[in-house]
Amino acid sequence: RVPVKAQPRRRLRDLSRVDRRHQALQLRRQRKEAVLAEKRSLGSRDGPPHLVAVVLLHSRAAAQDTLRLLQSQDSAVVRVNEGRAGGFALLCPRLKQRWRFVTAQAGDLHTVLDLAKVADSLLFILDAVDGWDSAGEHCLSCLFAQGLPSYALAVPGGTDLPPKKRIDARKKLAKAIEKRFPEAKLFPLNTEQESSLLLRHLSTQKQRHLAFRDRRAHLLAYAVEFVPGQESDLVGTLKVSGFVRGQTLDVNSLVHIVGHGDFQVSQVDAPPDPLSLNPRVVKGQKRSQDMEIQEDPVNGTDEMEEDVKVLMKADPSKQESLQSEVVPDPMEGEQTWPTEEELQEAEDSLKANRRVVKVPKGTSKYQAAWIVDDGEEGSEKDDDEDDDIDDDLMEEAVSQEGESSEEEPGEEESETMTVSECLRDDQYDEKMEEDEQMLERYKQERMDEMFPDEVDTPRDVPARVRFQKYRGLKSFRTSPWDPKENLPRDYARIFQFQDFSRTRKHLFRQIEKEETEGASVGWYITLHVCNVPVSVMESFKEGKPLVLFSLLPHEQKMSVLNFLVRRHPSNTEPVRAKEELIFHCGFRRFRASPLFSQHTSADKHKLERFLRPDAALVVTVYAPITFPPASVLLFKQRSNGMHDLIATGSLLSVDPDRIVIKRLVLSGHPFKIFTKTAVVRYMFFNREDVMWFKPVELRTKWGRRGHIKEPLGTHGHMKCHFDGQLKSQDTVLLNLYKRVFPKWTYDPHVPDPVPWVRSDSALPEQEVEME
């Protein structure tokens, strides 16, 4: 018998050839209608204006001439000036289209990336001869890594060249852009007719989607007003007006102002649309079609207060909280009364830790317990310094001879150093100091590449004390490691999902199927953002774009994020783990000190001390939760304030249980070799260390495996047994492992970078840095 419920599925599977063809035709027609509906809604009366970000890729690119040509359309176009340099809007009632153009210089990295997060299209302005310069190349690399929306290439100028040279320059330029923009069309921009063709191409081309912005409501501020608070003038309510894009904006959700942090929304208003295709005409006044309307984006004084309607107000019971960290309870792990086993363990540990201390007469046992020996003080200091020394490969085994040798060059330099009175000589000396530091880092990277994870056993500290936090593993791949074992105190402050992938799928399914209440896409609204610092308003007055994104649930909470990145080929400087880097993750921007680890399918991942140029690595850092997909860009700030792109990638997961293991390798040399046994020296320097590390398995660089049988003498020689005879040039290795965690150095405030220095600049690089 065939069950009744299984028949519909079976019928769907066993469609006839005609039905399958008809079904494919219907699906193709639905996709085509969806694309056409998206094109018609963008820039129409019901949708938001077509937002075009104009990006200059060359210092000789003429921005003003380009914008003037785009403004000089037929008489049906109303030009609206925004008061900001280079920003304007085009309204064309005859074509039922409206555009908004915003200009961004190629050297201003944050402005270009912020506008590309929300722009519907990018208009690249190229030079007629060279295309783009070094600053434009850097800008394109960042835009491609972040995610490129729809774009168009415009080439103004070139009319002053002879016709033959003009054709040759155009062929050369087309060949140059073929690698960056395959199948892209170059639009000359010298006449009004060519500007009309460019506008037509922008409005009819297929829109490219960015996943991280399509699933969140976002807007670019059109007008901003700051209302100081009652308690302080430095914090107040920010009224941000703009067109809603992406998704419906809920008043109870949090908003993220790019570059400034997360905030709550108290109210949403509906002011009159300043870019309406059918503007309201006041009686007694005639409005010409070519009339220019001056807008004030800073305070929005043109908005009619009597027409502003309150759409919705936040509900305190439904509003998302700004809590980003868990407040740890120090008594959470305490018990009311210890068990008998715990009491017995405590007595055994007290017996083992008993010591003989010289105390003055009349001292009680309680007072004697607080007296610390000199030897114990030294060991406590070593334990405290252990975590700091772990970060530096070359400083892990510092002997007294090394300290004396490090002091001698400093004394010699202080004796022979000459101080110049010239300012340029002082700056040149500073440059040389930076070169010496860079040379030392190159040496460390080279040593780590030649001898991975190998360290010297210290002579002044017993190895069992120096490496007491490390353990041996039978197999790095199959040996168990509890992810909840010996967690740091910072793990009590973060949030963790029971099943992150299931939560993500549930949220995205809600976004696609369920309709949320709020401001719909295309509405012109005013958001009342609470407790905003006045610095946000100051940056907007300086000409920086103000971009808002609504946050999904849990996206304001801190957790451990893992990014899969690959080294950018333009950067070759060594980048060590736990160095402060600048992250551009989706719509966020922050600073943090990450860990680097290998990207494998195992449950344990080996720590990498440097960012490798030839492999994809996983970057682990404390940061707010973000639901993938989201692109990530890693920058490193120079001493002069410029930001260098060092790696690009995407968000891999939000998983605090990802185990990153640091490996240390102690090396020894065979002293006497027998058939399957050998005497090894230079791995340890006392008998107790040999006994301590006896259970750990040994291996050699030539593939032999063995174990320690017994110590010989008192100076660290040991007798070892292997699975075959050693070679005299072989090296005996002992692997030790420890789990490491990132540092809590998260900082949401990133300073604006210094504009990128162009290669064709008239000033030398040193003089540009001085300015």
Side-chain angles (χ1 to χ4, degrees), residues 10 18 54 129 328 345 460 470 514 687 707 731 756:
R10 185 179 178 184
V18 177
V54 182
V129 179
E345 288 178 4
D460 54 344
Y470 292 81
E514 298 181 7
R687 186 182 183 90
H707 58 274
T731 305
W756 188 265

Side-chain angles (χ1 to χ4, degrees), residues 614-682:
D614 55 349
L617 296 181
V618 176
V619 176
T620 303
V621 70
Y622 290 112
I625 294 169
T626 304
F627 290 99
S631 59
V632 62
L633 286 76
L634 270 66
F635 292 88
K636 186 177 180 182
Q637 186 170 353
R638 292 189 200 170
S639 58
N640 59 2
M642 294 175 61
H643 290 181
D644 290 334
L645 180 65
I646 62 171
T648 60
S650 60
L651 178 60
L652 180 64
S653 64
V654 180
D655 185 14
D657 288 342
R658 191 176 192 275
I659 302 175
V660 179
I661 302 296
K662 180 179 181 179
R663 184 181 70 173
L664 286 186
V665 179
L666 303 181
S667 58
H669 301 274
F671 178 49
K672 294 180 180 180
I673 301 175
F674 303 98
T675 306
K676 286 193 175 183
T677 59
V679 178
V680 180
R681 61 179 176 178
Y682 301 149

Side-chain angles (χ1 to χ4, degrees), residues 604-762:
K604 294 182 289 296
H605 312 274
K606 193 179 85 66
L607 175 77
E608 291 288 348
R609 289 178 169 83
F610 290 89
L611 188 61
R612 300 295 181 190
D614 55 349
L617 296 181
V618 176
V619 176
T620 303
V621 70
Y622 290 112
I625 294 169
T626 304
F627 290 99
S631 59
V632 62
L633 286 76
L634 270 66
F635 292 88
K636 186 177 180 182
Q637 186 170 353
R638 292 189 200 170
S639 58
N640 59 2
M642 294 175 61
H643 290 181
D644 290 334
L645 180 65
I646 62 171
T648 60
S650 60
L651 178 60
L652 180 64
S653 64
V654 180
D655 185 14
D657 288 342
R658 191 176 192 275
I659 302 175
V660 179
I661 302 296
K662 180 179 181 179
R663 184 181 70 173
L664 286 186
V665 179
L666 303 181
S667 58
H669 301 274
F671 178 49
K672 294 180 180 180
I673 301 175
F674 303 98
T675 306
K676 286 193 175 183
T677 59
V679 178
V680 180
R681 61 179 176 178
Y682 301 149
M683 183 178 288
F684 304 109
F685 299 99
N686 56 72
R687 186 182 183 90
E688 291 77 12
D689 287 345
V690 178
M691 297 299 295
W692 179 269
F693 290 100
K694 187 177 178 180
V696 184
E697 187 181 18
L698 300 176
R699 68 179 181 89
T700 69
K701 287 190 175 181
W702 285 29
R704 297 298 181 189
R705 293 188 174 273
H707 58 274
I708 301 172
K709 291 186 69 175
E710 59 182 354
L712 298 177
T714 60
H715 293 281
H717 289 210
M718 55 187 183
K719 187 177 181 181
C720 305
H721 182 80
F722 295 92
D723 56 357
Q725 188 172 12
L726 296 186
K727 301 293 184 182
S728 59
Q729 62 269 36
D730 204 351
T731 305
V732 182
L733 305 176
L734 184 141
N735 294 339
L736 298 175
Y737 303 94
K738 182 185 76 168
R739 185 179 180 185
V740 291
F741 302 91
K743 291 183 177 180
W744 192 292
T745 57
Y746 171 77
D747 184 7
H749 304 290
V750 178
D752 292 329
V754 174
W756 188 265
V757 179
R758 299 179 183 271
S759 61
D760 54 353
S761 178

Side-chain angles (χ1 to χ4, degrees), residues 298-317:
V298 176
N299 50 23
T301 55
D302 62 306
E303 295 179 359
M304 303 171 63
E305 296 294 335
E306 62 271 11
D307 290 343
V308 174
K309 299 179 182 178
V310 179
L311 288 181
M312 58 198 79
K313 291 188 176 182
D315 186 0
S317 61

Side-chain angles (χ1 to χ4, degrees), residues 72-332:
S72 60
Q73 298 297 315
D74 55 4
S75 60
V77 176
V78 179
R79 298 180 294 275
V80 181
N81 297 326
E82 295 185 9
R84 194 187 313 163
F88 65 94
L90 288 179
L91 305 180
C92 187
R94 181 172 60 85
L95 299 177
K96 297 181 181 180
Q97 285 287 323
R98 51 182 180 170
W99 293 272
R100 185 185 173 194
F101 290 85
V102 185
T103 309
Q105 298 292 334
D108 192 356
L109 185 62
H110 283 180
T111 301
V112 172
L113 293 179
D114 290 348
L115 289 177
K117 289 180 174 68
V118 293
D120 299 313
S121 300
L122 295 181
L123 178 58
F124 293 115
I125 308 298
L126 282 70
D127 182 61
V129 179
D130 297 332
W132 55 79
D133 54 8
S134 59
E137 177 70 24
H138 179 69
C139 175
L140 287 176
S141 299
C142 298
L143 287 175
F144 273 88
Q146 178 180 268
L148 196 66
S150 303
Y151 61 89
L153 304 176
V155 186
T159 55
D160 54 343
L161 297 174
K164 189 174 181 181
K165 289 187 177 181
R166 195 184 310 166
I167 295 174
D168 293 341
R170 186 173 179 83
K171 288 181 179 179
K172 182 181 177 183
L173 184 59
K175 196 172 183 180
I177 69 169
E178 189 176 356
K179 292 182 180 180
R180 275 288 190 185
F181 305 97
E183 300 180 1
K185 184 180 178 182
L186 279 175
F187 286 88
L189 200 59
N190 298 312
T191 62
E192 295 184 8
Q193 184 179 5
E194 291 173 346
S195 65
S196 300
L197 290 175
L198 178 61
L199 286 177
R200 184 177 183 87
H201 173 73
L202 288 173
S203 61
T204 57
Q205 69 177 346
K206 183 179 179 181
Q207 293 298 311
R208 303 175 66 176
H209 295 274
L210 299 181
F212 73 88
R213 76 178 185 186
D214 288 343
R215 290 191 173 95
R216 298 169 180 85
H218 57 276
L219 60 88
L220 177 65
Y222 186 84
V224 178
E225 181 183 357
F226 183 76
V227 181
Q230 298 179 356
E231 299 178 356
S232 173
D233 294 339
L234 300 177
V235 179
T237 301
L238 193 71
K239 297 181 180 179
V240 184
S241 301
F243 293 90
V244 181
R245 302 172 186 272
Q247 295 289 333
T248 303
L249 181 63
D250 187 9
V251 69
N252 295 316
S253 62
L254 299 178
V255 295
H256 176 80
I257 302 179
V258 177
H260 298 282
D262 304 334
F263 303 95
Q264 287 181 331
V265 179
S266 61
Q267 183 177 323
V268 178
D269 299 339
D273 191 346
L275 303 180
S276 175
L277 288 172
N278 299 317
R280 193 184 309 173
V281 180
V282 183
K283 291 183 180 180
Q285 295 182 2
K286 291 185 177 181
R287 187 189 184 102
S288 64
Q289 290 182 341
D290 291 339
M291 184 177 180
E292 296 186 1
I293 306 171
Q294 298 291 333
E295 297 286 350
D296 187 3
V298 176
N299 50 23
T301 55
D302 62 306
E303 295 179 359
M304 303 171 63
E305 296 294 335
E306 62 271 11
D307 290 343
V308 174
K309 299 179 182 178
V310 179
L311 288 181
M312 58 198 79
K313 291 188 176 182
D315 186 0
S317 61
K318 298 180 181 179
Q319 200 170 20
E320 289 280 346
S321 173
L322 280 172
Q323 182 185 4
S324 61
E325 301 178 16
V326 179
V327 180
D329 185 6
M331 301 298 291
E332 186 177 2

